[in-house]
Amino acid sequence: MSMNRLAESTSPYLQQHADNPVHWQLWDDEALELARQQDKPILLSIGYSACHWCHVMAHESFEDEETAALMNELFINIKVDREERPDLDKIYLSAHQLLTQRPGGWPLTVFLMPGDQVPFFAGTYFPRESRYGMPPFKDVLASIANAYREQRHDIEGQNRAFMEAMSSLNPQTPVTDTNLEAAPLESARQQLARSFDETHGGFGQAPKFPLPTSLQRILRHWAATRISGRDDPRALYVADYSLTRMALGGFNDQLDGGFYRYSVDDQWMIPHFEKMLYDNGPLLTLYTDLWQATGKALFQETAIKTADWVIREMQSPEGGYYSTLDADSEGEEGLFYLWSPEEVKGLLERDEYQHLAAYYGLDREANFEGRWHLHNFTSIAELNQRLDSSSDQAHGLLSSAREKLFKARGDRIRPGRDEKILTAWNALMIKGMARAGRVLNKPEYTASADRALGFIRSSLWHEGRLLATHKDGKSALPAYLDDYAFLIDALLELLQTRWNRSDLDFALELTEVLLTHFQDGECGGFYFTADDHEALIHRPKPLGDDAIPSGNGIAAHALNRLGHLLGEPRYLETAEGTLKAAWDHLSQVPHAHCALLEALEEQLHPPEIIIIRGSGADLEQWSVRAAQQLAPRRLALSIPTPETDLPTLLDKDHQGDITGAYICSGTTCEPTISDFEQFDQRLSESKCTPPTEQERAFTGSAGSFKRHRE
């Protein structure tokens, strides 16, 4: 079997294409020079290993000898894993938007000039034969090659205009007189409320993505209203109802835990079946927070199932978290997760089957290509009425039935797993595990986060800089803004779960690299790539959230917290400058910048910082109390008495062996509290306590809250 250059890569996605008849190249100097020497345009194909339509295009076109021969004759063909090279992905996704005036996706197919890699035509999936209103891929290839030969002058003129448009994507001028104020926070709440799906939860219509950053914004808004005495139960309802429907629907793996990529319908019933680490980390954080806000068992159970799935299926023996599970197995999308009623009947007792079939829709018509995907169709109360069972009986029968199906499913051929370890995505999961470990009292989750952090420090931190990816014992590629920002944020979360001085020192090292190599010192904010990164046609400064939160937003939020914690004006000034640089974007479309809004909120209302010093059971008691309430603006660190030589605020008014706490907001610190009852009373004054039973029963226009608590 002949192999192309992709066999040299450790990327599972690129390796999937190593035996294609296409003469695939890696994105490197060798390939770019080859395009210049042969004066051939570059066909750039960007995708990822769990992408269903990437597989479809590969089977239809890249494995086809005739199509491959045409590609090899007319183009220099370069394949890129978007997860390893998000810099290229961001640039050429933006190019697709500018060239086609519509959002892009994957597979992303872009044709570039050979001399400077400026794109002149872009698309996504192209079919082998004409369908979906799209021309055959071979016709596209011939047309592009002909245009390159016959219309070179026109293309070069288009490219000049294109580069001017690309340069305008970043804020261009220093912003010094902007007055940061709260209007975007309220505007975002209103925009998200307008797009809320009253019937099924979530935002907008199919395809529906979970948008955890948007839901986190709504939940933080609710928490802020409770603190201020202007409680907004509607905001809590939006978050509660959305996450209830996601948890109970086919969007969530009802047997094993873990969320899929997105729902193809409004009901959260049928997903695209790939599971991505970067979705599950923020969703773990969000379900943990919502359990703390409401006390609902469903949210606690969902967080636990998600975390357990990650540890069981996605954590490497060395500690790092793997990236994705494929949508396909045995060449079919979702096959691993689908059932037939006959198969399920053969595995369950009669009562188990009756309850499971009614609850998950096996007694209805097939919901996915002649098969059944488990999705909640009824409440426990309705199930009890229909089958004359009690709630305890129904829960028990459903639990035992799920266990049997889970065991049987384990004998099937599993979806492929992309086992590369990405620093940024690991940081998102470290944060989720740390939060869940602290709030749910699950030390095994904290231990999982520690193992992942240890892997990053041993394998992805080299000579004072982060690397972005690790696979097969090899770490590679200079890290991006998200790697640094997300990891600093995760370290702050982990420090709240258990104190470790070396983690604080590591966070400060990362912060200095961020300021030195990524900051735009003139206009504010952070570039996605470092100042010594490979030169590309554009240096993005991403401000808006996409599937993951904005690196600029997370950086500003983390810097603001570190600045207050350590009394470091540089950090505070940089966080403020980032918000000012993004102000036009925040003002115009605030709901698309929820990570930056989180930073804005704490810029306007500095975090409440609690430093607890003590030892043994007393320190544990005080720590548990500080983590008892949902308080998004709170940063609480519990530092054992023996720790010395701590920076500034962390060692303020230390009273030796006496357990005590001091609380600061902004530049104002309260007297040290050394009495636990007084400490408990002081924290109770925040009003950020779980709602009462009456408040939980709040009814929105979608119907009774109580029904969905079952």
Side-chain angles (χ1 to χ4, degrees):
M1 180 183 296
S2 61
M3 306 290 281
N4 54 51
R5 285 194 64 210
L6 302 187
E8 304 169 21
S9 172
T10 59
S11 161
Y13 174 65
L14 299 188
Q15 289 176 348
Q16 289 171 0
H17 297 268
D19 59 354
N20 290 168
V22 179
H23 296 163
W24 288 118
Q25 304 282 334
L26 302 169
W27 179 283
D28 61 8
D29 290 341
E30 179 180 335
L32 300 181
E33 181 59 30
L34 188 64
R36 285 189 286 266
Q37 289 176 357
Q38 298 188 11
D39 192 27
K40 287 183 178 180
I42 294 168
L43 191 165
L44 176 64
S45 176
I46 302 178
Y48 58 101
S49 65
C51 167
H52 173 70
W53 286 103
C54 299
H55 298 328
V56 173
M57 191 168 178
H59 296 323
E60 291 182 345
S61 296
F62 303 152
E63 296 171 7
D64 177 66
E65 295 284 351
E66 187 176 338
T67 304
L70 194 60
M71 294 172 64
N72 295 335
E73 175 189 355
L74 300 176
F75 303 97
I76 299 300
N77 303 287
I78 298 179
K79 176 67 75 173
V80 164
D81 183 342
R82 68 171 291 260
E83 296 168 356
E84 286 192 339
R85 293 301 303 263
D87 52 341
L88 295 172
D89 188 53
K90 287 181 183 296
I91 289 170
Y92 291 109
L93 270 179
S94 297
H96 180 283
Q97 177 94 31
L98 290 172
L99 291 169
T100 67
Q101 297 300 299
R102 62 178 183 271
W106 303 278
L108 182 64
T109 308
V110 192
F111 295 87
L112 319 179
M113 297 296 282
D116 54 13
Q117 298 87 55
V118 175
F120 61 94
F121 184 84
T124 53
Y125 162 78
F126 290 101
R128 177 165 51 193
E129 309 296 338
S130 180
R131 63 177 182 272
Y132 311 128
M134 293 184 288
F137 188 47
K138 286 186 288 187
D139 288 1
V140 172
L141 297 174
S143 296
I144 295 299
N146 182 68
Y148 179 73
R149 290 192 304 267
E150 304 296 332
Q151 301 171 352
R152 188 79 164 260
H153 180 74
D154 293 339
I155 290 174
E156 289 171 348
Q158 171 189 288
N159 286 356
R160 286 191 291 271
F162 169 84
M163 289 304 295
E164 290 178 6
M166 284 291 284
S167 66
S168 69
L169 296 177
N170 290 345
Q172 296 296 303
T173 56
V175 183
T176 57
D177 56 354
T178 300
N179 182 33
L180 300 177
E181 42 91 18
L185 295 169
E186 175 58 20
S187 296
R189 185 201 64 77
Q190 294 174 0
Q191 290 168 334
L192 291 170
R194 285 194 294 269
S195 65
F196 173 60
D197 182 345
E198 297 279 359
T199 304
H200 303 293
F203 302 106
Q205 296 177 320
K208 290 176 77 169
F209 292 80
L211 303 179
T213 311
S214 299
L215 287 166
Q216 192 73 54
R217 170 92 302 271
I218 290 291
L219 192 58
R220 284 183 65 104
H221 163 78
W222 170 77
T225 64
R226 288 186 70 81
I227 292 171
S228 66
R230 300 177 291 103
D231 193 11
D232 182 0
R234 173 67 177 173
L236 182 61
Y237 174 77
V238 169
D240 188 313
Y241 186 67
S242 297
L243 287 159
T244 295
R245 298 321 309 163
M246 290 182 202
L248 294 174
F251 173 68
N252 182 24
D253 186 342
Q254 296 297 314
L255 301 182
D256 195 14
F259 291 90
Y260 304 104
R261 181 69 192 91
Y262 62 89
S263 175
V264 302
D265 53 61
D266 289 340
Q267 295 94 336
W268 302 104
M269 184 190 304
I270 302 300
H272 255 313
F273 285 91
E274 60 263 41
K275 291 184 181 180
M276 318 296 287
L277 188 71
Y278 65 72
D279 289 318
N280 283 278
L283 285 169
L284 174 57
T285 300
L286 192 53
Y287 275 97
T288 300
D289 287 352
L290 199 56
W291 173 74
Q292 201 170 31
T294 66
K296 289 189 178 181
L298 174 64
F299 300 138
Q300 181 185 37
E301 293 163 3
T302 303
I304 289 171
K305 285 187 68 176
T306 302
D308 287 348
W309 165 73
V310 170
I311 293 172
R312 183 170 57 247
E313 296 285 342
M314 302 299 285
Q315 189 156 29
S316 71
E318 297 77 20
Y321 299 115
Y322 298 133
S323 295
T324 65
L325 290 184
D326 206 331
D328 300 359
S329 57
E330 302 181 67
E332 292 189 42
E333 184 183 9
L335 181 63
F336 180 76
Y337 303 101
L338 303 174
W339 300 92
S340 70
E342 293 74 20
E343 181 185 10
V344 174
K345 279 182 182 177
L347 296 168
L348 304 181
E349 301 294 331
R350 180 173 178 273
D351 283 350
E352 290 175 328
Y353 178 78
Q354 286 182 329
H355 281 77
L356 187 102
Y359 194 72
Y360 286 123
L362 292 174
D363 58 354
R364 300 170 181 248
E365 291 185 2
N367 59 4
F368 186 79
E369 298 179 359
R371 298 185 179 93
W372 281 255
H373 179 55
L374 302 183
H375 171 81
N376 168 252
F377 284 95
T378 188
S379 69
I380 294 292
E382 291 166 343
L383 200 64
N384 293 340
Q385 186 175 12
R386 177 176 168 181
L387 297 174
D388 193 27
S389 56
S390 68
S391 292
D392 287 345
Q393 288 173 326
H395 280 296
L397 289 167
L398 287 173
S399 178
S400 62
R402 284 191 294 259
E403 287 178 11
K404 291 178 181 179
L405 295 190
F406 173 65
K407 183 178 180 181
R409 197 177 74 178
D411 294 329
R412 296 177 178 177
I413 296 175
R414 293 178 176 274
R417 181 170 63 190
D418 188 326
E419 295 187 353
K420 67 175 177 291
I421 295 169
L422 299 170
T423 301
W425 297 10
N426 269 248
L428 292 173
M429 185 54 70
I430 289 169
K431 178 177 181 178
M433 284 289 184
R435 181 83 62 87
R438 181 171 73 254
V439 172
L440 303 178
N441 190 25
K442 288 281 192 175
E444 63 268 33
Y445 299 166
T446 305
S448 173
D450 271 326
R451 290 177 59 218
L453 177 61
F455 179 85
I456 289 174
R457 297 193 68 165
S458 65
S459 299
L460 289 156
W461 177 245
H462 180 65
E463 296 182 352
R465 301 287 287 274
L466 281 174
L467 296 170
T469 182
H470 179 94
K471 177 71 167 60
D472 296 337
K474 300 177 183 177
S475 298
L477 301 176
Y480 310 99
L481 167 63
D482 291 355
D483 299 295
Y484 285 92
F486 295 175
L487 189 53
I488 295 166
D489 189 48
L491 286 163
L492 285 172
E493 192 68 50
L494 198 48
L495 282 166
Q496 295 183 79
T497 303
R498 89 292 173 269
W499 171 256
N500 186 323
R501 172 60 188 271
S502 70
D503 287 351
L504 177 62
D505 293 339
F506 188 34
L508 298 181
E509 287 185 86
L510 294 169
T511 301
E512 291 305 318
V513 176
L514 190 68
L515 297 181
T516 301
H517 293 287
F518 291 85
Q519 185 181 4
D520 181 347
E522 181 179 354
C523 297
F526 295 93
Y527 292 107
F528 189 71
T529 53
D531 54 3
D532 52 1
H533 192 81
E534 170 192 356
L536 301 170
I537 65 167
H538 178 62
R539 194 180 178 197
K541 189 192 290 184
L543 301 172
D545 307 312
D546 45 38
I548 58 179
S550 156
N552 268 281
I554 299 300
H557 177 258
L559 283 168
N560 190 54
R561 290 196 154 199
L562 273 175
H564 284 294
L565 183 65
L566 302 176
E568 177 52 77
R570 287 188 304 131
Y571 297 170
L572 298 173
E573 291 163 3
T574 303
E576 182 180 13
T578 302
L579 289 166
K580 288 183 175 181
W583 189 249
D584 285 346
H585 297 260
L586 277 176
S587 301
Q588 294 165 13
V589 279
H591 70 293
H593 299 82
C594 288
L596 277 162
L597 291 180
E598 193 166 315
L600 174 63
E601 181 183 27
E602 293 200 3
Q603 180 73 30
L604 300 174
H605 306 282
E608 176 187 67
I609 294 176
I610 302 174
I611 305 299
I612 306 169
R613 299 300 306 270
S615 59
D618 286 346
L619 182 63
E620 177 69 17
Q621 180 188 26
W622 289 56
S623 301
V624 169
R625 178 62 188 90
Q628 189 175 335
Q629 302 158 283
L630 177 65
R633 296 180 192 163
R634 176 178 296 164
L635 177 69
L637 302 180
S638 299
I639 305 175
T641 297
E643 287 278 349
T644 59
D645 192 28
L646 293 168
T648 57
L649 178 62
L650 301 185
D651 208 27
K652 179 182 179 295
D653 296 335
H654 180 37
Q655 302 180 87
D657 294 332
I658 300 174
T659 299
Y662 40 96
I663 302 174
C664 300
S665 296
T667 58
T668 302
C669 292
E670 303 171 16
T672 300
I673 301 172
S674 55
D675 176 75
F676 181 78
E677 299 300 325
Q678 184 183 355
F679 181 62
D680 177 60
Q681 178 61 35
R682 168 62 183 81
L683 296 190
S684 298
E685 293 171 0
S686 70
K687 301 181 182 178
C688 212
T689 53
T692 64
E693 188 69 25
Q694 182 178 9
E695 289 171 324
R696 279 195 200 131
F698 169 77
T699 300
S701 59
S704 171
F705 232 20
K706 284 185 172 180
R707 177 185 173 204
H708 296 290
R709 293 181 61 213
E710 297 291 349

